[in-house]
mmCIF file of all heavy atoms in Angstrom:
data_model
loop_
_atom_site.group_PDB
_atom_site.id
_atom_site.type_symbol
_atom_site.label_atom_id
_atom_site.label_comp_id
_atom_site.label_asym_id
_atom_site.label_seq_id
_atom_site.Cartn_x
_atom_site.Cartn_y
_atom_site.Cartn_z
ATOM 1 N N GLY A 1 -29.634 48.033 -62.805
ATOM 2 C CA GLY A 1 -30.158 47.254 -61.664
ATOM 3 C C GLY A 1 -29.154 46.283 -61.096
ATOM 4 O O GLY A 1 -29.377 45.720 -60.022
ATOM 5 N N GLY A 2 -28.115 46.058 -61.829
ATOM 6 C CA GLY A 2 -27.100 45.095 -61.398
ATOM 7 C C GLY A 2 -26.079 45.652 -60.427
ATOM 8 O O GLY A 2 -26.194 46.814 -60.008
ATOM 9 N N SER A 3 -25.093 44.836 -60.135
ATOM 10 C CA SER A 3 -24.082 45.222 -59.149
ATOM 11 C C SER A 3 -22.670 44.936 -59.684
ATOM 12 O O SER A 3 -22.487 44.061 -60.516
ATOM 13 C CB SER A 3 -24.255 44.429 -57.831
ATOM 14 O OG SER A 3 -25.513 44.697 -57.264
ATOM 15 N N LEU A 4 -21.728 45.707 -59.188
ATOM 16 C CA LEU A 4 -20.314 45.457 -59.449
ATOM 17 C C LEU A 4 -19.561 45.826 -58.198
ATOM 18 O O LEU A 4 -19.962 46.672 -57.428
ATOM 19 C CB LEU A 4 -19.826 46.342 -60.613
ATOM 20 C CG LEU A 4 -20.075 45.914 -62.019
ATOM 21 C CD1 LEU A 4 -19.560 47.001 -62.995
ATOM 22 C CD2 LEU A 4 -19.417 44.557 -62.335
ATOM 23 N N ARG A 5 -18.383 45.221 -58.032
ATOM 24 C CA ARG A 5 -17.501 45.569 -56.939
ATOM 25 C C ARG A 5 -16.148 45.943 -57.531
ATOM 26 O O ARG A 5 -15.505 45.118 -58.185
ATOM 27 C CB ARG A 5 -17.332 44.379 -55.994
ATOM 28 C CG ARG A 5 -16.547 44.715 -54.711
ATOM 29 C CD ARG A 5 -16.146 43.464 -54.026
ATOM 30 N NE ARG A 5 -15.690 43.665 -52.657
ATOM 31 C CZ ARG A 5 -14.867 42.858 -52.013
ATOM 32 N NH1 ARG A 5 -14.366 41.817 -52.612
ATOM 33 N NH2 ARG A 5 -14.568 43.130 -50.744
ATOM 34 N N LEU A 6 -15.750 47.147 -57.270
ATOM 35 C CA LEU A 6 -14.459 47.603 -57.708
ATOM 36 C C LEU A 6 -13.449 47.459 -56.593
ATOM 37 O O LEU A 6 -13.806 47.591 -55.401
ATOM 38 C CB LEU A 6 -14.506 49.105 -58.124
ATOM 39 C CG LEU A 6 -15.558 49.463 -59.177
ATOM 40 C CD1 LEU A 6 -15.383 50.955 -59.558
ATOM 41 C CD2 LEU A 6 -15.399 48.624 -60.414
ATOM 42 N N SER A 7 -12.219 47.205 -56.958
ATOM 43 C CA SER A 7 -11.102 47.114 -55.988
ATOM 44 C C SER A 7 -10.008 48.067 -56.408
ATOM 45 O O SER A 7 -9.818 48.311 -57.576
ATOM 46 C CB SER A 7 -10.587 45.694 -55.904
ATOM 47 O OG SER A 7 -11.535 44.780 -55.520
ATOM 48 N N CYS A 8 -9.295 48.561 -55.411
ATOM 49 C CA CYS A 8 -8.130 49.409 -55.656
ATOM 50 C C CYS A 8 -7.020 48.926 -54.756
ATOM 51 O O CYS A 8 -7.128 49.072 -53.531
ATOM 52 C CB CYS A 8 -8.450 50.838 -55.399
ATOM 53 S SG CYS A 8 -7.005 51.969 -55.431
ATOM 54 N N ALA A 9 -6.010 48.357 -55.356
ATOM 55 C CA ALA A 9 -4.871 47.847 -54.590
ATOM 56 C C ALA A 9 -3.740 48.868 -54.640
ATOM 57 O O ALA A 9 -3.338 49.322 -55.721
ATOM 58 C CB ALA A 9 -4.402 46.540 -55.159
ATOM 59 N N ALA A 10 -3.239 49.240 -53.482
ATOM 60 C CA ALA A 10 -2.175 50.232 -53.383
ATOM 61 C C ALA A 10 -0.815 49.546 -53.108
ATOM 62 O O ALA A 10 -0.744 48.502 -52.443
ATOM 63 C CB ALA A 10 -2.457 51.224 -52.277
ATOM 64 N N SER A 11 0.227 50.158 -53.630
ATOM 65 C CA SER A 11 1.578 49.590 -53.429
ATOM 66 C C SER A 11 2.204 50.020 -52.142
ATOM 67 O O SER A 11 3.324 49.596 -51.803
ATOM 68 C CB SER A 11 2.471 50.015 -54.602
ATOM 69 O OG SER A 11 2.601 51.445 -54.647
ATOM 70 N N VAL A 12 1.496 50.900 -51.418
ATOM 71 C CA VAL A 12 1.986 51.381 -50.147
ATOM 72 C C VAL A 12 0.872 51.306 -49.098
ATOM 73 O O VAL A 12 -0.305 51.015 -49.445
ATOM 74 C CB VAL A 12 2.439 52.858 -50.261
ATOM 75 C CG1 VAL A 12 3.585 52.975 -51.211
ATOM 76 C CG2 VAL A 12 1.267 53.733 -50.703
ATOM 77 N N SER A 13 1.289 51.576 -47.869
ATOM 78 C CA SER A 13 0.217 51.614 -46.805
ATOM 79 C C SER A 13 -0.814 52.688 -47.142
ATOM 80 O O SER A 13 -0.463 53.801 -47.613
ATOM 81 C CB SER A 13 0.893 51.944 -45.479
ATOM 82 O OG SER A 13 -0.113 52.230 -44.490
ATOM 83 N N ILE A 14 -2.077 52.377 -46.915
ATOM 84 C CA ILE A 14 -3.098 53.354 -47.195
ATOM 85 C C ILE A 14 -3.533 54.108 -45.938
ATOM 86 O O ILE A 14 -4.703 54.309 -45.679
ATOM 87 C CB ILE A 14 -4.325 52.670 -47.882
ATOM 88 C CG1 ILE A 14 -4.869 51.510 -47.043
ATOM 89 C CG2 ILE A 14 -3.977 52.216 -49.298
ATOM 90 C CD1 ILE A 14 -6.186 50.948 -47.573
ATOM 91 N N PHE A 15 -2.520 54.586 -45.210
ATOM 92 C CA PHE A 15 -2.772 55.395 -44.074
ATOM 93 C C PHE A 15 -3.090 56.820 -44.552
ATOM 94 O O PHE A 15 -2.319 57.748 -44.394
ATOM 95 C CB PHE A 15 -1.566 55.425 -43.109
ATOM 96 C CG PHE A 15 -1.837 56.183 -41.836
ATOM 97 C CD1 PHE A 15 -2.707 55.700 -40.892
ATOM 98 C CD2 PHE A 15 -1.205 57.414 -41.600
ATOM 99 C CE1 PHE A 15 -2.960 56.392 -39.718
ATOM 100 C CE2 PHE A 15 -1.466 58.113 -40.406
ATOM 101 C CZ PHE A 15 -2.326 57.590 -39.483
ATOM 102 N N SER A 16 -4.269 56.901 -45.180
ATOM 103 C CA SER A 16 -4.618 58.109 -45.960
ATOM 104 C C SER A 16 -6.106 58.124 -46.133
ATOM 105 O O SER A 16 -6.806 57.153 -45.805
ATOM 106 C CB SER A 16 -3.963 58.071 -47.351
ATOM 107 O OG SER A 16 -2.570 57.794 -47.286
ATOM 108 N N ILE A 17 -6.572 59.203 -46.706
ATOM 109 C CA ILE A 17 -7.961 59.224 -47.205
ATOM 110 C C ILE A 17 -7.980 58.554 -48.563
ATOM 111 O O ILE A 17 -7.206 58.875 -49.453
ATOM 112 C CB ILE A 17 -8.485 60.655 -47.308
ATOM 113 C CG1 ILE A 17 -8.559 61.303 -45.915
ATOM 114 C CG2 ILE A 17 -9.850 60.652 -47.986
ATOM 115 C CD1 ILE A 17 -8.945 62.750 -45.937
ATOM 116 N N MET A 18 -8.850 57.550 -48.715
ATOM 117 C CA MET A 18 -8.973 56.858 -49.952
ATOM 118 C C MET A 18 -10.319 57.211 -50.599
ATOM 119 O O MET A 18 -11.327 57.209 -49.872
ATOM 120 C CB MET A 18 -8.925 55.337 -49.751
ATOM 121 C CG MET A 18 -7.611 54.866 -49.141
ATOM 122 S SD MET A 18 -6.180 55.175 -50.196
ATOM 123 C CE MET A 18 -6.613 54.264 -51.660
ATOM 124 N N GLY A 19 -10.308 57.492 -51.848
ATOM 125 C CA GLY A 19 -11.528 57.899 -52.523
ATOM 126 C C GLY A 19 -11.722 57.237 -53.863
ATOM 127 O O GLY A 19 -10.759 56.720 -54.451
ATOM 128 N N TRP A 20 -12.938 57.289 -54.336
ATOM 129 C CA TRP A 20 -13.298 56.886 -55.688
ATOM 130 C C TRP A 20 -13.910 58.119 -56.398
ATOM 131 O O TRP A 20 -14.798 58.791 -55.811
ATOM 132 C CB TRP A 20 -14.323 55.744 -55.713
ATOM 133 C CG TRP A 20 -13.754 54.449 -55.297
ATOM 134 C CD1 TRP A 20 -13.781 53.857 -54.063
ATOM 135 C CD2 TRP A 20 -13.075 53.510 -56.133
ATOM 136 N NE1 TRP A 20 -13.164 52.652 -54.088
ATOM 137 C CE2 TRP A 20 -12.706 52.406 -55.344
ATOM 138 C CE3 TRP A 20 -12.745 53.527 -57.489
ATOM 139 C CZ2 TRP A 20 -12.054 51.314 -55.882
ATOM 140 C CZ3 TRP A 20 -12.057 52.431 -58.035
ATOM 141 C CH2 TRP A 20 -11.703 51.330 -57.212
ATOM 142 N N TYR A 21 -13.402 58.382 -57.561
ATOM 143 C CA TYR A 21 -13.930 59.423 -58.425
ATOM 144 C C TYR A 21 -14.393 58.765 -59.734
ATOM 145 O O TYR A 21 -14.019 57.610 -60.023
ATOM 146 C CB TYR A 21 -12.880 60.448 -58.774
ATOM 147 C CG TYR A 21 -12.475 61.372 -57.641
ATOM 148 C CD1 TYR A 21 -11.724 60.859 -56.561
ATOM 149 C CD2 TYR A 21 -12.801 62.690 -57.641
ATOM 150 C CE1 TYR A 21 -11.371 61.692 -55.524
ATOM 151 C CE2 TYR A 21 -12.434 63.561 -56.608
ATOM 152 C CZ TYR A 21 -11.692 63.047 -55.566
ATOM 153 O OH TYR A 21 -11.325 63.885 -54.522
ATOM 154 N N ARG A 22 -15.198 59.472 -60.483
ATOM 155 C CA ARG A 22 -15.577 58.959 -61.779
ATOM 156 C C ARG A 22 -15.670 60.065 -62.801
ATOM 157 O O ARG A 22 -15.887 61.250 -62.452
ATOM 158 C CB ARG A 22 -16.917 58.223 -61.725
ATOM 159 C CG ARG A 22 -18.131 59.111 -61.390
ATOM 160 C CD ARG A 22 -19.362 58.223 -61.230
ATOM 161 N NE ARG A 22 -20.562 59.019 -60.943
ATOM 162 C CZ ARG A 22 -21.724 58.493 -60.617
ATOM 163 N NH1 ARG A 22 -21.884 57.146 -60.516
ATOM 164 N NH2 ARG A 22 -22.787 59.266 -60.371
ATOM 165 N N GLN A 23 -15.490 59.697 -64.055
ATOM 166 C CA GLN A 23 -15.557 60.702 -65.157
ATOM 167 C C GLN A 23 -16.322 60.046 -66.299
ATOM 168 O O GLN A 23 -15.895 59.057 -66.875
ATOM 169 C CB GLN A 23 -14.194 61.134 -65.616
ATOM 170 C CG GLN A 23 -14.245 62.241 -66.626
ATOM 171 C CD GLN A 23 -12.872 62.882 -66.810
ATOM 172 O OE1 GLN A 23 -11.833 62.300 -66.474
ATOM 173 N NE2 GLN A 23 -12.853 64.119 -67.368
ATOM 174 N N ALA A 24 -17.487 60.625 -66.545
ATOM 175 C CA ALA A 24 -18.318 60.159 -67.683
ATOM 176 C C ALA A 24 -17.883 60.878 -68.911
ATOM 177 O O ALA A 24 -17.298 61.960 -68.853
ATOM 178 C CB ALA A 24 -19.805 60.431 -67.361
ATOM 179 N N PRO A 25 -18.171 60.308 -70.085
ATOM 180 C CA PRO A 25 -17.778 60.970 -71.355
ATOM 181 C C PRO A 25 -18.310 62.405 -71.424
ATOM 182 O O PRO A 25 -19.467 62.628 -71.204
ATOM 183 C CB PRO A 25 -18.431 60.071 -72.388
ATOM 184 C CG PRO A 25 -18.520 58.758 -71.748
ATOM 185 C CD PRO A 25 -18.810 59.038 -70.309
ATOM 186 N N GLY A 26 -17.401 63.333 -71.737
ATOM 187 C CA GLY A 26 -17.808 64.718 -71.881
ATOM 188 C C GLY A 26 -18.065 65.482 -70.573
ATOM 189 O O GLY A 26 -18.535 66.592 -70.635
ATOM 190 N N LYS A 27 -17.785 64.813 -69.476
ATOM 191 C CA LYS A 27 -18.067 65.465 -68.161
ATOM 192 C C LYS A 27 -16.798 65.583 -67.351
ATOM 193 O O LYS A 27 -15.782 64.885 -67.625
ATOM 194 C CB LYS A 27 -19.127 64.682 -67.387
ATOM 195 C CG LYS A 27 -20.492 64.677 -68.052
ATOM 196 C CD LYS A 27 -21.517 64.080 -67.154
ATOM 197 C CE LYS A 27 -22.940 64.174 -67.780
ATOM 198 N NZ LYS A 27 -23.972 63.627 -66.852
#
């Protein structure tokens, strides 16, 4: 029920598609 905010800082310009993926244990 809680919240979190993730950040992703890039070392270059992000003139790109940016995405978030996830991997759970065993998946």
Side-chain angles (χ1 to χ4, degrees):
S3 299
L4 278 176
R5 188 196 196 204
L6 305 183
S7 299
C8 172
S11 61
V12 297
S13 169
I14 55 172
F15 185 69
S16 310
I17 295 174
M18 299 298 300
W20 287 96
Y21 288 70
R22 66 185 181 187
Q23 187 167 18
K27 295 189 176 181

